[in-house]
Amino acid sequence: MTAADTLTSRYLSPAEVASLFASRPTRTYKKRGTFLARYAEPGETILTIVAGKLETLAAAKWGDVVLMNIEIGSSVERYLIAADMFQKRYELTERTITTDGHSWMLVTAKGQVNAWQYEGPSVTFEAPWGESMLLEEGDWIASPVGGKPDDIYRIECEAFAGTYSLLEA
């Protein structure tokens, strides 16, 4: 998110984000695909860039895992996830690779989210991990299945299309 995005979008409080998420029925989607994962170095800064925009900037804590989404074309998305969430949402494979000076584990996604596609003006809110997040028209607003009620975040539209599949009822 750029400074201009912050100035032109309305900031939503946590209560407003919860109300927005609850304002429409959700459908359940399974995250799919193969990702690279490694344990983060405490204090390491991870920039999450999706579709050419800075989504989050986060400093790693002890036990955090860095994930690299290699499923969404040329947009190599990296993000942090807490170790307990990593175990719930990803499954290790037997393979590892070395790139960028790090040894990465090949993992497969197994998490699910309840989500719907957002239509409306750009808004900004605080993601569950404390970073400011920009929600734009066409993005998805999501919450992990079985997660906390306030665990609501944005998934960029192309990243969602590349890594999520609708679960049939």
Side-chain angles (χ1 to χ4, degrees):
M1 174 173 47
T2 67
D5 292 329
T6 304
L7 293 173
T8 59
S9 64
R10 182 170 168 262
Y11 184 83
L12 301 181
S13 70
E16 289 172 314
V17 172
S19 178
L20 173 64
F21 185 71
S23 71
R24 292 201 28 212
T26 62
R27 296 178 81 182
T28 303
Y29 298 83
K30 180 183 184 322
K31 191 165 190 174
R32 58 183 161 73
T34 303
F35 300 76
L36 298 178
R38 67 172 174 80
Y39 288 100
E41 298 171 24
E44 173 182 10
T45 300
I46 301 298
L47 300 172
T48 302
I49 299 172
V50 180
K53 290 184 181 180
L54 177 64
E55 184 167 291
T56 62
L57 172 79
K61 297 182 285 297
W62 187 88
D64 283 350
V65 175
V66 179
L67 279 154
M68 185 185 318
N69 185 345
I70 57 175
E71 295 286 329
I72 55 175
S74 63
S75 178
V76 180
E77 173 192 21
R78 294 176 191 223
Y79 53 96
L80 284 174
I81 187 170
D84 60 333
M85 292 294 110
F86 173 74
Q87 292 175 353
K88 291 177 185 176
R89 297 180 189 170
Y90 297 88
E91 191 164 317
L92 294 174
T93 69
E94 299 290 320
R95 296 184 51 206
T96 61
I97 66 169
T98 300
T99 187
D100 295 339
H102 295 282
S103 181
W104 296 82
M105 303 169 281
L106 209 57
V107 299
T108 55
K110 64 179 182 179
Q112 297 177 6
V113 296
N114 293 315
W116 54 270
Q117 194 166 24
Y118 178 72
E119 297 171 2
S122 296
V123 294
T124 305
F125 64 95
E126 186 175 310
W129 50 89
E131 289 287 321
S132 182
M133 180 166 271
L134 178 66
L135 177 65
E136 298 179 293
E137 179 130 15
D139 290 343
W140 290 75
I141 185 166
S143 182
V145 170
K148 298 175 190 170
D150 61 348
D151 195 359
I152 300 168
Y153 51 89
R154 165 239 194 203
I155 304 171
E156 190 271 339
C157 62
E158 290 179 32
F160 190 90
T163 54
Y164 286 86
S165 296
L166 179 64
L167 285 177
E168 296 300 323

